[in-house]
Amino acid sequence: MLLKLRSDMKAAMKAKDTNRLNVLKALLAETANASKTSSPIKSDIQLLSLMRKRAAASRSAAEEFSAANRDDLRDKEVAQVAVLEEYASCVDTVGEGEITRITAEVIGRMRTEGLDVNIGTVLKALVGPGGELDGKPVEKGEVAKIVRASL
């Protein structure tokens, strides 16, 4: 995914697409900054999480600009959200239906074994080391939301 972002940044420079270029530069800069910390961005799922976080911040800024009657800045933020969502949709993740099915299986198995069924133990059984979804491309926040709904 990082290779795609870098090549798209070059294409945006050539096409003089400033909005896309600014979004891609910001994403690559945050990725580079994260590589200097204790938790660098190594996978597409971590990059997806970063993109969703940036999209949420841009949506929030757009709402504030709208409330302040700054439509020019609101439009800019909305355009950035569109670019971020476009790239976020390119990341392959396990579907919500599959996560729901696996969650139901794990909860059922835990109940038949007489184990304590709460959010923490179910999440550990799903995304913890050796869990059903361990190593698969899933967002932990999405898994937690589905587990809460299942309990």
Side-chain angles (χ1 to χ4, degrees):
M1 184 61 153
L2 285 174
L3 293 174
K4 179 176 175 27
L5 291 177
R6 286 189 182 100
S7 66
D8 286 357
M9 185 173 77
K10 289 176 188 173
M13 283 181 196
K14 290 177 183 175
K16 303 210 185 312
D17 185 355
T18 56
N19 183 47
R20 182 174 301 274
L21 180 62
N22 289 338
V23 170
L24 293 173
K25 278 184 178 180
L27 279 175
L28 291 171
E30 284 191 47
T31 303
N33 288 338
S35 69
K36 298 172 187 168
T37 65
S38 61
S39 58
I41 295 176
K42 296 180 181 176
S43 69
D44 286 351
I45 295 299
Q46 291 171 319
L47 189 59
L48 175 64
S49 176
L50 175 65
M51 283 188 242
R52 290 202 173 149
K53 189 183 300 183
R54 300 251 328 151
S58 289
R59 277 191 209 95
S60 174
E63 290 173 10
E64 290 178 23
F65 289 140
S66 187
N69 292 326
R70 292 295 309 265
D71 292 335
D72 54 329
L73 296 174
R74 179 186 54 86
D75 293 342
K76 179 181 166 191
E77 292 294 331
V78 169
Q80 287 182 357
V81 169
V83 172
L84 288 167
E85 291 296 329
E86 175 187 333
Y87 284 103
S89 67
C90 293
V91 177
D92 291 329
T93 58
V94 176
E96 190 173 322
E98 180 75 7
I99 295 171
T100 304
R101 184 187 62 76
I102 292 172
T103 301
E105 289 175 8
V106 168
I107 290 173
R109 186 171 358 110
M110 290 175 77
R111 285 189 176 139
T112 58
E113 293 174 1
L115 297 173
D116 183 31
V117 179
N118 61 40
I119 292 176
T121 56
V122 173
L123 284 175
K124 194 180 293 183
L126 286 169
V127 295
E132 297 284 331
L133 297 173
D134 184 32
K136 293 185 180 176
V138 295
E139 272 195 280
K140 291 181 182 175
E142 186 177 335
V143 174
K145 183 174 65 173
I146 291 171
V147 168
R148 272 190 217 101
S150 299
L151 297 176

